[in-house]
Amino acid sequence: MTSTPPAPPGTAPDFGSLAPSVALRVECSREGFARARSFTRHTLHLWSLDHRCDDTTLVITELTANAATHAAQAAPGAPEIRLGFRLDPAHLLVTVSDPDDHPPVYAPGTGSALEEHGRGLCIVDALSEEWGWTPTPPAGKTVWARLSTCPPI
């Protein structure tokens, strides 16, 4: 059974133009994904969010893997994937943009721990407070996840 993501297009949280933000173009390669993870850890360290590093890195890993897998089918050559972070006092917004127009497919699956594919957005859903996607004109989409900046209790 498949369903659409919990948030409809066009509902990304607005943190305002003054919120700290950074972005990175991600190459669809082993090195590109390693760089995205390193960039995530480094950015969170600079923003004193080391306590959110593991969850955020896992969310970024899943979103960039999905973008590479599906955008590669939609775009000739190497698809351009962009990673972004925006910070406000209570939340971190992470975004992954790709040239594929198709919405992400949230597939809860059968619950089997042996499934190799299809669990990425379930992981994103479990680790984030909210997630969704927005179209990126003229083509493509941005999948986003909002994570709390609060330290664990």
Side-chain angles (χ1 to χ4, degrees), residues 26 28 33 63-82 96-103 139-141 143:
V26 179
C28 291
F33 298 133
L63 293 180
T64 54
N66 283 352
T69 300
H70 301 290
Q73 298 170 5
E80 182 172 315
I81 297 173
R82 293 173 314 280
V96 175
S97 301
D98 67 63
D100 183 21
D101 289 327
H102 295 93
K141 69 179 170 300
V143 181

Side-chain angles (χ1 to χ4, degrees), residues 108-128:
T110 62
S112 171
L114 300 176
E115 291 181 59
E116 289 186 36
H117 302 286
R119 297 181 306 183
L121 291 177
C122 293
I123 293 169
V124 172
D125 187 53
L127 296 176
S128 62

Side-chain angles (χ1 to χ4, degrees), residues 51-145:
H51 60 281
R52 298 301 309 178
C53 193
D54 290 342
D55 288 352
T56 305
T57 301
L58 185 51
V59 166
I60 288 302
T61 299
E62 295 300 333
L63 293 180
T64 54
N66 283 352
T69 300
H70 301 290
Q73 298 170 5
E80 182 172 315
I81 297 173
R82 293 173 314 280
L83 167 62
F85 297 101
R86 182 161 266 189
L87 179 65
D88 80 4
H91 297 97
L92 173 67
L93 181 69
V94 298
T95 63
V96 175
S97 301
D98 67 63
D100 183 21
D101 289 327
H102 295 93
V105 177
Y106 179 74
T110 62
S112 171
L114 300 176
E115 291 181 59
E116 289 186 36
H117 302 286
R119 297 181 306 183
L121 291 177
C122 293
I123 293 169
V124 172
D125 187 53
L127 296 176
S128 62
E129 289 185 350
E130 179 181 27
W131 72 276
W133 69 283
T134 58
T136 310
K141 69 179 170 300
T142 297
V143 181
W144 55 268

